[in-house]
Amino acid sequence: MPDDPRDLGGDFGCRRDVEVRFADTDAMGHVNNANYLTYCEIARAAYYETVTGRPLPLGVHGAEEGMILAEVRMTYRAPAFYGETLAVETRVVALGRTSFTMEHRITAPNSRYGEARLVATASSVLVTYDYTAGRPIPLPPSLVEAVESFEGSRLRKPS
């Protein structure tokens, strides 16, 4: 894909391809803005499973602890359309005591709709959470170790 000055620079270690369904589009014929949040959600789960080697903990499977989305910022750059397969790249850029920050880059390939392009970027904050107690909990050391090993750098903020 050509360079785009609006892009998030650097490498992303995890990539999840997402096919744009007809239902993802709106009356204007392009992907509705809300669906990009779903694409990032798909990529977040893929990142977790790639990095930890375990399925994402879900309450329906008995998990009492998990992660909740606390904040998200999405910046739209270009439209995407039905039939395209978007690449959603994900990385963790910071680890805190109970939360971590992820970045996502969404790109479209060359297609009948145009040349390869940057579609959107996003930043999100996830909080590790105890559903029973209803409160944030410290990041598990195993998650910190797995993320830092995968990303190849120390991301934990000094206490």
Side-chain angles (χ1 to χ4, degrees), residues 39-97:
Y39 301 160
C40 289
E41 179 182 61
I42 292 167
R44 279 195 304 274
Y47 181 93
Y48 179 90
E49 293 179 359
T50 297
V51 169
T52 67
R54 298 185 312 267
L56 187 67
L58 301 173
V60 296
H61 297 140
E64 294 178 2
E65 298 174 354
M67 293 173 284
I68 59 172
L69 182 64
E71 179 180 327
V72 67
R73 177 183 178 168
M74 179 73 62
T75 304
Y76 304 97
R77 304 296 191 190
F81 301 92
Y82 165 71
E84 291 187 299
T85 299
L86 305 179
V88 185
E89 297 170 286
T90 303
R91 64 184 174 200
V92 170
V93 295
L95 296 168
R97 191 179 74 75

Side-chain angles (χ1 to χ4, degrees), residues 18-40 74-76 78-82 84 86 106 119-120:
V18 177
E19 187 174 332
V20 176
R21 303 168 308 158
F22 181 74
D24 294 345
T25 62
D26 59 22
M28 303 306 294
H30 54 71
V31 173
N32 180 274
N33 63 320
N35 287 305
Y36 293 103
L37 296 173
T38 300
Y39 301 160
C40 289
M74 179 73 62
T75 304
Y76 304 97
F81 301 92
Y82 165 71
E84 291 187 299
L86 305 179
I106 303 172
V119 173

